[in-house]
Amino acid sequence: MTLVSGTHGAHGATYRDRGGRQVVDHYGKSERVGGAVRKVVGAIEMGYGVLAVSGTDRVEFVDNAVSNRVPAEDGQGVYALLLDPQGGIETDMYVYNAGERLLVFLPPERADAVADDWSEKVFIQDVEIADVSEEFGVFGVHGPKSTEKIASVLGGPGAPEEPLSFVRGSMVDAGVTVIATDSPLGEEGYEVICAADDAEEVFDTLLTRGLNAAPFGYRTWDALTAEAGTPLFEYELEGTVPNVLGLRNALDFEKGCYVGQEVVSRVENQGRPSRRLAGLALDGLADAVAEVDGDADPEGYDALLPTPGAAVFAGDEAVGEVTRAAVGPASGDPIALALVGFDADLDGATVRVAGDEVAASRADLPFVDGSARSARLPAYPSDE
């Protein structure tokens, strides 16, 4: 459910379902908007599920469950994972210490399951878990001018600087919390959190007051994060061992006892996983993509690009599969992320699209250099 349907409607929004929640797919002119985010700044309504964890044992309880260290200080956050016993990712999340409670932001389809699982695991600890997703509006502000944008509308403190730290201030008459992101789009970025009742005013402020920001939806989000080399839960993370994705920013190798930790440590000690996340330039689709007007027909690329699960070949050997494909907003070229054999030779690779094999080649991640580097950019010990 969107909290700002009036503003979305005024900009011509088209919607889609994401994890059981209605989000904006696009506003039309997706290529132009993607370019605006890369060159200036854009704003998006985020579709998170949000949990509140309170009680005197809240930090220890969540820290014991997740793959990274939960901060004990107000104003700090961390990116972390919940794993299954085989080391596969059950969900990713951002955990923020908000003083008397922790706020956990995670994919909306995982909120109920995590809340139920954690509630069942509370025994004598002083811990309470509540789903507070409907209480907040959350907006992302991204682009090389995002700091300037935030400074132009934030009353009180200056914009936070350290990734995943936050400050409290105001925008017009609304109280807000502003978080410095870990740059998932490969650009400077912030998330602005407000009460649900203030969401329409805050989103309008982000778009039209001070430095204007271009509204963008999840179609552009998916393409920009792909360009930045950022793996996402719904495409790359779910069920995958984090070492395969090179998600070192989500792992604290000094802590133990969380579910899946033994698998993560074993793969780490082996020096490398069996697969890795790689970038592919879809050279064989360049001409077909160039014939599509992505602004007039944002869905026009869908039939041309490989779908998630499309096979990747090196010669006659299947060496992996595509997780996500897009047309890069910065370059206009067709690109893909793929999980492939760690040593797979992708020079002269092909990808299966609609029964045919099209030419592809390995591309370094990120595909483009923006104003920042994504903290989720794959990193492997053997590459160091």
Coordinates of all heavy atoms in Angstrom, one line a residue, residues 8-100:
H8 N 1.8 10.3 -6.4 CA 2.1 9.4 -7.5 C 1.2 9.6 -8.7 O 1.6 9.6 -9.8 CB 1.9 8.0 -7.0 CG 3.0 7.5 -6.0 ND1 4.3 8.0 -6.0 CD2 2.9 6.7 -4.9 CE1 5.0 7.4 -5.0 NE2 4.1 6.7 -4.3
G9 N -0.1 9.8 -8.4 CA -1.1 9.9 -9.5 C -0.8 11.2 -10.3 O -1.0 11.2 -11.5
A10 N -0.4 12.3 -9.6 CA -0.2 13.5 -10.3 C 1.0 13.4 -11.3 O 1.1 14.2 -12.2 CB 0.1 14.6 -9.3
H11 N 1.9 12.4 -11.0 CA 3.0 12.2 -11.9 C 2.9 11.1 -12.8 O 3.8 10.6 -13.5 CB 4.3 12.0 -11.0 CG 4.8 13.2 -10.3 ND1 5.6 14.2 -10.9 CD2 4.5 13.7 -9.1 CE1 5.8 15.2 -10.1 NE2 5.2 14.9 -8.9
G12 N 1.6 10.5 -12.9 CA 1.4 9.4 -13.9 C 1.9 8.1 -13.5 O 2.4 7.3 -14.4
A13 N 1.8 7.7 -12.3 CA 2.5 6.5 -11.8 C 1.7 5.2 -12.4 O 0.5 5.2 -12.5 CB 2.5 6.4 -10.3
T14 N 2.5 4.2 -12.7 CA 2.1 2.9 -13.0 C 2.6 2.0 -11.8 O 3.7 2.1 -11.5 CB 2.6 2.4 -14.3 OG1 2.0 3.2 -15.4 CG2 2.2 0.9 -14.6
Y15 N 1.7 1.1 -11.3 CA 2.1 0.4 -10.1 C 2.4 -1.1 -10.4 O 2.0 -1.6 -11.5 CB 0.9 0.4 -9.1 CG 0.6 1.8 -8.5 CD1 -0.3 2.6 -9.1 CD2 1.3 2.3 -7.4 CE1 -0.6 3.9 -8.6 CE2 1.1 3.5 -6.9 CZ 0.1 4.3 -7.5 OH -0.2 5.6 -7.1
R16 N 3.0 -1.8 -9.5 CA 3.2 -3.2 -9.5 C 3.3 -3.7 -8.1 O 3.4 -3.0 -7.1 CB 4.5 -3.5 -10.3 CG 5.8 -3.4 -9.4 CD 7.0 -3.7 -10.3 NE 8.2 -4.1 -9.5 CZ 9.4 -3.9 -9.8 NH1 9.7 -3.3 -10.9 NH2 10.4 -4.3 -9.0
D17 N 3.1 -5.0 -8.0 CA 3.3 -5.7 -6.7 C 4.7 -6.0 -6.4 O 5.4 -6.5 -7.3 CB 2.4 -7.0 -6.6 CG 2.6 -7.7 -5.3 OD1 1.8 -7.3 -4.3 OD2 3.4 -8.6 -5.2
R18 N 5.1 -5.7 -5.2 CA 6.5 -6.1 -4.7 C 6.4 -6.7 -3.3 O 6.2 -5.9 -2.4 CB 7.4 -4.9 -4.8 CG 8.9 -5.2 -4.3 CD 9.7 -4.0 -4.5 NE 11.1 -4.2 -4.0 CZ 11.6 -4.0 -2.8 NH1 10.7 -3.6 -1.8 NH2 12.8 -4.3 -2.5
G19 N 6.5 -8.0 -3.2 CA 6.5 -8.6 -1.9 C 5.1 -8.4 -1.2 O 5.1 -8.3 0.0
G20 N 4.0 -8.4 -2.0 CA 2.7 -8.2 -1.4 C 2.4 -6.8 -1.1 O 1.3 -6.5 -0.6
R21 N 3.2 -5.8 -1.6 CA 2.9 -4.4 -1.3 C 2.9 -3.7 -2.6 O 3.7 -3.9 -3.5 CB 4.0 -3.8 -0.4 CG 3.8 -2.4 -0.1 CD 4.7 -2.0 1.1 NE 4.5 -0.6 1.5 CZ 5.0 0.0 2.6 NH1 5.7 -0.8 3.4 NH2 4.7 1.2 2.9
Q22 N 1.9 -2.8 -2.8 CA 1.8 -2.0 -4.0 C 2.9 -0.9 -4.0 O 3.0 -0.1 -3.1 CB 0.5 -1.3 -4.1 CG 0.2 -0.6 -5.4 CD -1.1 0.1 -5.5 OE1 -1.5 0.9 -4.6 NE2 -1.9 -0.3 -6.5
V23 N 3.7 -0.9 -5.1 CA 4.8 0.1 -5.2 C 4.7 0.7 -6.6 O 4.1 0.1 -7.5 CB 6.2 -0.4 -5.0 CG1 6.3 -1.0 -3.5 CG2 6.5 -1.6 -6.0
V24 N 5.3 1.8 -6.8 CA 5.4 2.4 -8.2 C 6.4 1.6 -9.0 O 7.5 1.4 -8.6 CB 5.8 3.9 -8.1 CG1 6.0 4.5 -9.5 CG2 4.7 4.7 -7.4
D25 N 5.9 1.2 -10.2 CA 6.8 0.6 -11.2 C 7.6 1.7 -11.9 O 8.8 1.7 -12.0 CB 6.0 -0.3 -12.1 CG 6.9 -1.0 -13.1 OD1 8.1 -1.4 -12.7 OD2 6.5 -1.3 -14.3
H26 N 6.8 2.6 -12.5 CA 7.4 3.7 -13.2 C 6.4 4.9 -13.4 O 5.2 4.7 -13.1 CB 8.0 3.3 -14.6 CG 6.9 2.8 -15.5 ND1 6.1 3.7 -16.3 CD2 6.4 1.6 -15.8 CE1 5.3 3.0 -17.0 NE2 5.4 1.7 -16.7
Y27 N 6.9 6.0 -13.7 CA 6.1 7.2 -14.0 C 6.1 7.5 -15.5 O 5.7 8.6 -15.9 CB 6.6 8.4 -13.3 CG 6.6 8.3 -11.8 CD1 7.7 7.8 -11.1 CD2 5.4 8.7 -11.0 CE1 7.7 7.8 -9.7 CE2 5.4 8.6 -9.7 CZ 6.6 8.1 -9.0 OH 6.6 8.0 -7.6
G28 N 6.6 6.6 -16.4 CA 6.9 6.9 -17.8 C 8.2 7.5 -17.8 O 8.8 7.9 -16.8
K29 N 8.8 7.6 -19.0 CA 10.1 8.2 -19.3 C 11.2 7.7 -18.3 O 11.9 8.4 -17.7 CB 10.0 9.7 -19.1 CG 9.0 10.4 -20.1 CD 8.9 11.9 -20.0 CE 7.9 12.5 -21.0 NZ 7.8 13.9 -20.9
S30 N 11.2 6.3 -18.2 CA 12.1 5.7 -17.3 C 13.6 6.0 -17.6 O 14.4 6.2 -16.7 CB 11.9 4.2 -17.3 OG 10.6 3.9 -16.8
E31 N 13.9 6.0 -18.9 CA 15.3 6.3 -19.2 C 15.7 7.7 -18.8 O 16.8 7.9 -18.3 CB 15.5 6.1 -20.7 CG 15.4 4.7 -21.2 CD 15.7 4.5 -22.7 OE1 15.7 5.5 -23.4 OE2 16.0 3.4 -23.1
R32 N 14.9 8.7 -19.1 CA 15.2 10.0 -18.8 C 15.3 10.2 -17.2 O 16.2 10.9 -16.7 CB 14.1 11.0 -19.3 CG 14.4 12.5 -19.1 CD 13.3 13.3 -19.7 NE 13.1 13.0 -21.1 CZ 12.1 13.6 -21.8 NH1 11.3 14.5 -21.2 NH2 11.9 13.3 -23.1
V33 N 14.4 9.5 -16.5 CA 14.4 9.6 -15.0 C 15.7 9.0 -14.5 O 16.3 9.5 -13.6 CB 13.2 9.0 -14.4 CG1 13.3 8.9 -12.9 CG2 11.9 9.8 -14.8
G34 N 16.0 7.8 -15.1 CA 17.3 7.1 -14.6 C 18.5 8.0 -14.8 O 19.4 8.1 -14.0
G35 N 18.5 8.7 -16.0 CA 19.6 9.6 -16.2 C 19.6 10.8 -15.3 O 20.7 11.2 -14.8
A36 N 18.4 11.2 -14.8 CA 18.4 12.3 -13.9 C 18.9 11.9 -12.5 O 19.6 12.7 -11.9 CB 16.9 12.8 -13.7
V37 N 18.7 10.7 -12.1 CA 19.2 10.2 -10.9 C 20.7 10.1 -10.9 O 21.4 10.5 -10.0 CB 18.6 8.8 -10.5 CG1 19.2 8.3 -9.2 CG2 17.1 8.9 -10.3
R38 N 21.2 9.6 -12.1 CA 22.7 9.5 -12.2 C 23.4 10.9 -12.3 O 24.5 11.1 -11.8 CB 23.0 8.8 -13.5 CG 22.9 7.3 -13.4 CD 24.1 6.6 -12.9 NE 23.9 5.2 -12.7 CZ 23.9 4.6 -11.5 NH1 24.0 5.3 -10.4 NH2 23.7 3.3 -11.5
K39 N 22.7 11.9 -12.8 CA 23.3 13.2 -13.0 C 23.0 14.2 -11.9 O 23.8 15.1 -11.6 CB 22.9 13.8 -14.4 CG 23.4 13.0 -15.5 CD 22.8 13.5 -16.9 CE 23.3 12.7 -18.0 NZ 22.7 13.2 -19.3
V40 N 21.8 14.1 -11.3 CA 21.4 15.1 -10.3 C 20.8 14.4 -9.1 O 21.6 14.0 -8.2 CB 20.3 16.1 -10.9 CG1 20.1 17.3 -10.0 CG2 20.8 16.6 -12.3
V41 N 19.5 14.2 -9.0 CA 18.9 13.6 -7.8 C 17.5 13.1 -8.1 O 16.8 13.7 -8.9 CB 18.9 14.5 -6.6 CG1 18.1 15.8 -6.8 CG2 18.5 13.8 -5.3
G42 N 17.1 12.0 -7.5 CA 15.8 11.5 -7.6 C 15.3 11.0 -6.3 O 16.0 10.8 -5.3
A43 N 13.9 10.8 -6.2 CA 13.3 10.3 -5.0 C 12.3 9.2 -5.3 O 11.6 9.2 -6.3 CB 12.6 11.5 -4.3
I44 N 12.3 8.2 -4.4 CA 11.4 7.1 -4.5 C 10.8 6.7 -3.2 O 11.4 6.8 -2.1 CB 12.3 5.8 -5.0 CG1 11.4 4.6 -5.2 CG2 13.5 5.6 -4.1 CD1 12.2 3.4 -5.8
E45 N 9.5 6.3 -3.3 CA 8.9 5.8 -2.1 C 9.3 4.3 -1.9 O 9.1 3.5 -2.8 CB 7.3 5.8 -2.2 CG 6.7 5.3 -0.9 CD 5.1 5.3 -0.9 OE1 4.6 5.3 -2.1 OE2 4.5 5.2 0.1
M46 N 9.9 4.0 -0.8 CA 10.4 2.7 -0.5 C 9.3 1.7 0.0 O 8.4 2.2 0.7 CB 11.6 2.7 0.5 CG 12.7 3.6 0.1 SD 13.5 3.1 -1.5 CE 14.2 1.5 -1.1
G47 N 9.4 0.5 -0.4 CA 8.4 -0.5 0.0 C 8.9 -1.5 1.1 O 8.9 -2.7 0.9
Y48 N 9.4 -1.0 2.2 CA 9.9 -1.8 3.3 C 8.8 -2.4 4.1 O 7.7 -1.8 4.3 CB 10.8 -1.0 4.2 CG 12.2 -0.6 3.7 CD1 12.5 0.7 3.6 CD2 13.1 -1.6 3.3 CE1 13.8 1.1 3.1 CE2 14.4 -1.2 2.9 CZ 14.7 0.1 2.8 OH 15.9 0.5 2.3
G49 N 9.1 -3.5 4.8 CA 8.4 -3.9 6.0 C 9.3 -3.4 7.1 O 10.5 -3.4 7.0
V50 N 8.6 -3.0 8.3 CA 9.4 -2.5 9.4 C 9.0 -3.2 10.7 O 7.8 -3.2 11.0 CB 9.1 -1.0 9.5 CG1 10.0 -0.4 10.6 CG2 9.4 -0.2 8.2
L51 N 9.9 -3.7 11.4 CA 9.7 -4.2 12.7 C 10.3 -3.4 13.8 O 11.4 -2.8 13.6 CB 10.3 -5.7 12.8 CG 9.9 -6.7 11.8 CD1 10.6 -8.0 12.0 CD2 8.3 -6.9 11.8
A52 N 9.7 -3.3 14.9 CA 10.2 -2.6 16.1 C 10.5 -3.7 17.2 O 9.7 -4.5 17.5 CB 9.2 -1.6 16.7
V53 N 11.8 -3.6 17.7 CA 12.2 -4.6 18.7 C 12.5 -3.8 20.0 O 13.4 -2.9 19.9 CB 13.4 -5.4 18.3 CG1 13.7 -6.5 19.3 CG2 13.1 -6.1 16.9
S54 N 11.8 -4.0 21.0 CA 12.0 -3.2 22.3 C 12.3 -4.2 23.4 O 12.2 -5.4 23.3 CB 10.7 -2.4 22.6 OG 9.6 -3.2 22.7
G55 N 12.5 -3.6 24.6 CA 12.9 -4.3 25.8 C 14.4 -4.2 26.1 O 15.2 -3.9 25.2
T56 N 14.7 -4.5 27.3 CA 16.1 -4.3 27.7 C 17.1 -5.2 27.1 O 18.3 -4.9 27.0 CB 16.3 -4.4 29.2 OG1 15.8 -5.7 29.6 CG2 15.5 -3.3 30.0
D57 N 16.7 -6.4 26.6 CA 17.5 -7.3 25.9 C 17.5 -7.2 24.4 O 18.0 -8.2 23.7 CB 17.2 -8.7 26.4 CG 17.3 -9.0 27.9 OD1 18.3 -8.4 28.4 OD2 16.5 -9.7 28.5
R58 N 17.0 -6.2 23.8 CA 16.7 -6.1 22.4 C 18.0 -6.2 21.6 O 18.0 -6.9 20.6 CB 16.0 -4.8 22.1 CG 16.7 -3.5 22.4 CD 15.9 -2.3 22.4 NE 16.6 -1.1 22.7 CZ 16.8 -0.7 24.0 NH1 16.4 -1.4 25.0 NH2 17.5 0.4 24.2
V59 N 19.1 -5.5 22.0 CA 20.3 -5.5 21.2 C 20.9 -6.9 21.2 O 21.3 -7.4 20.1 CB 21.3 -4.5 21.7 CG1 22.6 -4.6 20.9 CG2 20.7 -3.1 21.5
E60 N 21.0 -7.5 22.3 CA 21.6 -8.8 22.4 C 20.8 -9.9 21.7 O 21.3 -10.7 20.9 CB 21.7 -9.3 23.9 CG 22.3 -10.7 24.1 CD 22.4 -11.1 25.5 OE1 21.7 -10.4 26.4 OE2 23.1 -12.1 25.8
F61 N 19.5 -9.8 21.7 CA 18.6 -10.7 21.1 C 18.8 -10.7 19.6 O 19.0 -11.7 18.9 CB 17.1 -10.4 21.5 CG 16.1 -11.4 20.8 CD1 15.8 -12.6 21.4 CD2 15.5 -11.0 19.6 CE1 14.9 -13.4 20.8 CE2 14.6 -11.8 19.0 CZ 14.3 -13.1 19.6
V62 N 18.7 -9.5 19.0 CA 18.8 -9.4 17.5 C 20.3 -9.7 17.1 O 20.5 -10.4 16.1 CB 18.4 -8.0 17.0 CG1 18.6 -7.9 15.5 CG2 16.9 -7.8 17.4
D63 N 21.2 -9.3 17.9 CA 22.6 -9.5 17.5 C 22.9 -11.0 17.5 O 23.7 -11.5 16.6 CB 23.6 -8.9 18.6 CG 25.0 -9.0 18.2 OD1 25.4 -8.2 17.3 OD2 25.7 -9.8 18.7
N64 N 22.3 -11.8 18.3 CA 22.5 -13.3 18.3 C 21.8 -13.9 17.1 O 22.2 -15.1 16.8 CB 21.9 -13.9 19.6 CG 22.8 -13.6 20.8 OD1 24.0 -13.3 20.7 ND2 22.2 -13.7 22.0
A65 N 20.9 -13.2 16.5 CA 20.2 -13.8 15.3 C 20.8 -13.5 14.0 O 20.6 -14.3 13.0 CB 18.7 -13.3 15.3
V66 N 21.5 -12.4 13.9 CA 21.9 -11.9 12.5 C 23.4 -12.1 12.3 O 24.2 -12.3 13.2 CB 21.4 -10.5 12.3 CG1 19.9 -10.4 12.5 CG2 22.1 -9.5 13.3
S67 N 23.8 -11.8 11.1 CA 25.2 -12.1 10.6 C 26.2 -11.0 10.9 O 27.3 -11.1 10.6 CB 25.2 -12.4 9.1 OG 24.7 -11.2 8.4
N68 N 25.7 -9.8 11.4 CA 26.6 -8.7 11.6 C 26.3 -8.1 13.0 O 25.4 -8.5 13.7 CB 26.3 -7.6 10.5 CG 27.6 -6.9 10.1 OD1 28.6 -6.9 10.8 ND2 27.5 -6.3 8.9
R69 N 27.2 -7.3 13.4 CA 27.1 -6.7 14.8 C 26.0 -5.6 14.8 O 26.1 -4.6 14.1 CB 28.4 -6.1 15.2 CG 29.5 -7.1 15.4 CD 29.4 -7.9 16.7 NE 30.5 -8.8 16.9 CZ 30.5 -9.7 17.9 NH1 29.5 -9.7 18.8 NH2 31.6 -10.5 18.1
V70 N 25.1 -5.7 15.7 CA 24.1 -4.7 15.9 C 24.6 -3.6 16.8 O 25.1 -3.9 17.9 CB 22.8 -5.3 16.6 CG1 21.8 -4.3 16.9 CG2 22.2 -6.4 15.7
P71 N 24.6 -2.4 16.4 CA 25.2 -1.3 17.1 C 24.4 -1.1 18.5 O 23.2 -1.1 18.5 CB 25.1 -0.1 16.2 CG 23.9 -0.4 15.3 CD 24.0 -1.9 15.1
A72 N 25.2 -0.7 19.5 CA 24.6 -0.5 20.8 C 24.3 1.0 21.0 O 23.6 1.4 22.0 CB 25.5 -0.9 21.9
E73 N 24.7 1.9 20.1 CA 24.6 3.3 20.2 C 23.4 3.8 19.4 O 23.2 3.4 18.2 CB 25.8 4.1 19.8 CG 27.1 3.6 20.6 CD 27.7 2.4 19.9 OE1 27.5 2.1 18.8 OE2 28.4 1.7 20.7
D74 N 22.6 4.7 20.0 CA 21.6 5.4 19.3 C 22.2 6.2 18.1 O 23.3 6.8 18.2 CB 20.9 6.4 20.2 CG 19.8 7.2 19.5 OD1 19.2 6.7 18.6 OD2 19.5 8.3 20.0
G75 N 21.5 6.2 16.9 CA 21.9 6.9 15.8 C 22.8 6.1 14.8 O 23.3 6.7 13.8
Q76 N 22.9 4.8 15.1 CA 23.8 3.9 14.2 C 23.0 2.8 13.7 O 22.0 2.3 14.3 CB 25.0 3.4 15.0 CG 25.9 4.5 15.6 CD 26.6 5.3 14.5 OE1 27.0 4.8 13.5 NE2 26.6 6.6 14.7
G77 N 23.4 2.3 12.5 CA 22.7 1.1 11.9 C 23.7 0.2 11.3 O 24.9 0.4 11.2
V78 N 23.2 -1.0 10.8 CA 24.0 -2.0 10.2 C 23.2 -2.8 9.2 O 22.0 -2.9 9.3 CB 24.6 -3.0 11.3 CG1 23.5 -3.9 11.9 CG2 25.7 -3.8 10.8
Y79 N 23.9 -3.3 8.1 CA 23.3 -4.2 7.2 C 23.6 -5.6 7.6 O 24.7 -5.9 7.9 CB 23.8 -3.9 5.8 CG 23.3 -4.7 4.7 CD1 21.9 -4.7 4.3 CD2 24.1 -5.6 4.0 CE1 21.4 -5.5 3.3 CE2 23.6 -6.4 2.9 CZ 22.3 -6.3 2.6 OH 21.8 -7.1 1.6
A80 N 22.6 -6.5 7.6 CA 22.8 -7.8 8.2 C 21.9 -8.8 7.4 O 20.9 -8.4 6.7 CB 22.5 -7.8 9.7
L81 N 22.1 -10.1 7.7 CA 21.3 -11.2 7.1 C 20.8 -12.1 8.1 O 21.4 -12.3 9.2 CB 22.2 -11.9 6.1 CG 23.0 -11.1 5.1 CD1 24.0 -12.1 4.4 CD2 22.1 -10.5 4.1
L82 N 19.7 -12.7 7.8 CA 19.2 -13.9 8.5 C 19.5 -15.1 7.6 O 19.1 -15.1 6.4 CB 17.7 -13.9 8.9 CG 17.3 -13.1 10.1 CD1 15.8 -13.2 10.3 CD2 18.0 -13.6 11.4
L83 N 20.1 -16.2 8.1 CA 20.4 -17.3 7.3 C 19.7 -18.6 7.8 O 19.3 -18.7 8.9 CB 21.9 -17.6 7.4 CG 22.9 -16.4 7.0 CD1 24.3 -16.8 7.1 CD2 22.6 -15.9 5.6
D84 N 19.5 -19.6 6.9 CA 19.0 -20.8 7.3 C 20.2 -21.7 7.7 O 21.3 -21.4 7.6 CB 18.1 -21.5 6.2 CG 18.9 -21.8 4.9 OD1 20.2 -22.0 5.0 OD2 18.3 -21.8 3.8
P85 N 19.9 -23.0 8.2 CA 21.0 -23.8 8.7 C 22.0 -24.2 7.6 O 23.2 -24.5 7.9 CB 20.3 -25.0 9.2 CG 19.0 -24.5 9.6 CD 18.6 -23.5 8.6
Q86 N 21.6 -24.1 6.3 CA 22.5 -24.4 5.2 C 23.3 -23.2 4.7 O 24.0 -23.2 3.8 CB 21.8 -25.0 4.1 CG 21.2 -26.4 4.3 CD 20.1 -26.4 5.3 OE1 19.1 -25.6 5.2 NE2 20.1 -27.3 6.3
G87 N 23.1 -22.0 5.4 CA 23.8 -20.8 5.1 C 23.1 -20.0 4.0 O 23.6 -18.9 3.7
G88 N 21.9 -20.4 3.5 CA 21.2 -19.6 2.6 C 20.5 -18.4 3.2 O 20.1 -18.5 4.4
I89 N 20.4 -17.4 2.4 CA 19.8 -16.1 3.0 C 18.3 -16.2 3.0 O 17.7 -16.4 2.0 CB 20.3 -14.9 2.1 CG1 21.8 -14.7 2.1 CG2 19.6 -13.6 2.6 CD1 22.3 -13.7 1.1
E90 N 17.8 -16.1 4.2 CA 16.3 -16.0 4.4 C 15.8 -14.6 4.2 O 14.7 -14.4 3.7 CB 15.9 -16.5 5.8 CG 16.2 -18.0 6.0 CD 15.6 -18.6 7.2 OE1 15.3 -17.8 8.2 OE2 15.4 -19.8 7.3
T91 N 16.6 -13.6 4.6 CA 16.3 -12.2 4.3 C 17.5 -11.4 4.6 O 18.4 -11.7 5.4 CB 15.1 -11.7 5.2 OG1 14.6 -10.4 4.7 CG2 15.4 -11.6 6.7
D92 N 17.5 -10.2 4.0 CA 18.5 -9.2 4.4 C 17.7 -8.1 5.1 O 16.4 -8.1 5.1 CB 19.2 -8.6 3.2 CG 18.4 -7.9 2.2 OD1 17.1 -8.1 2.2 OD2 18.9 -7.1 1.4
M93 N 18.4 -7.2 5.8 CA 17.7 -6.2 6.6 C 18.7 -5.1 7.0 O 19.9 -5.3 7.0 CB 17.2 -6.8 7.9 CG 18.3 -7.4 8.8 SD 17.5 -8.2 10.3 CE 16.6 -9.5 9.7
Y94 N 18.2 -3.9 7.3 CA 18.9 -2.9 8.0 C 18.4 -2.8 9.4 O 17.2 -2.7 9.6 CB 18.7 -1.5 7.2 CG 19.4 -1.5 5.9 CD1 18.6 -1.7 4.7 CD2 20.7 -1.2 5.8 CE1 19.2 -1.7 3.5 CE2 21.3 -1.2 4.5 CZ 20.6 -1.4 3.4 OH 21.2 -1.4 2.1
V95 N 19.3 -2.8 10.4 CA 18.9 -2.7 11.8 C 19.5 -1.4 12.3 O 20.7 -1.1 12.3 CB 19.5 -3.9 12.6 CG1 19.0 -3.8 14.0 CG2 19.1 -5.2 12.0
Y96 N 18.6 -0.5 12.8 CA 19.0 0.8 13.3 C 18.6 0.9 14.8 O 17.6 0.5 15.3 CB 18.2 1.9 12.6 CG 18.5 2.0 11.2 CD1 17.7 1.5 10.2 CD2 19.7 2.6 10.7 CE1 18.0 1.5 8.9 CE2 20.0 2.6 9.4 CZ 19.1 2.1 8.4 OH 19.5 2.1 7.1
N97 N 19.6 1.4 15.6 CA 19.4 1.6 17.0 C 18.8 3.0 17.2 O 19.4 4.0 16.9 CB 20.8 1.5 17.8 CG 20.6 1.5 19.3 OD1 19.7 2.3 19.8 ND2 21.3 0.7 20.0
A98 N 17.5 3.0 17.5 CA 16.7 4.2 17.7 C 16.4 4.5 19.1 O 15.4 5.0 19.5 CB 15.4 4.1 16.9
G99 N 17.4 4.3 20.0 CA 17.3 4.6 21.4 C 16.6 3.5 22.2 O 17.2 2.5 22.5
E100 N 15.3 3.7 22.4 CA 14.6 2.8 23.3 C 14.1 1.5 22.5 O 13.5 0.6 23.0 CB 13.3 3.5 23.9 CG 13.6 4.6 24.8 CD 14.5 4.0 26.0 OE1 14.1 3.0 26.6 OE2 15.5 4.7 26.3

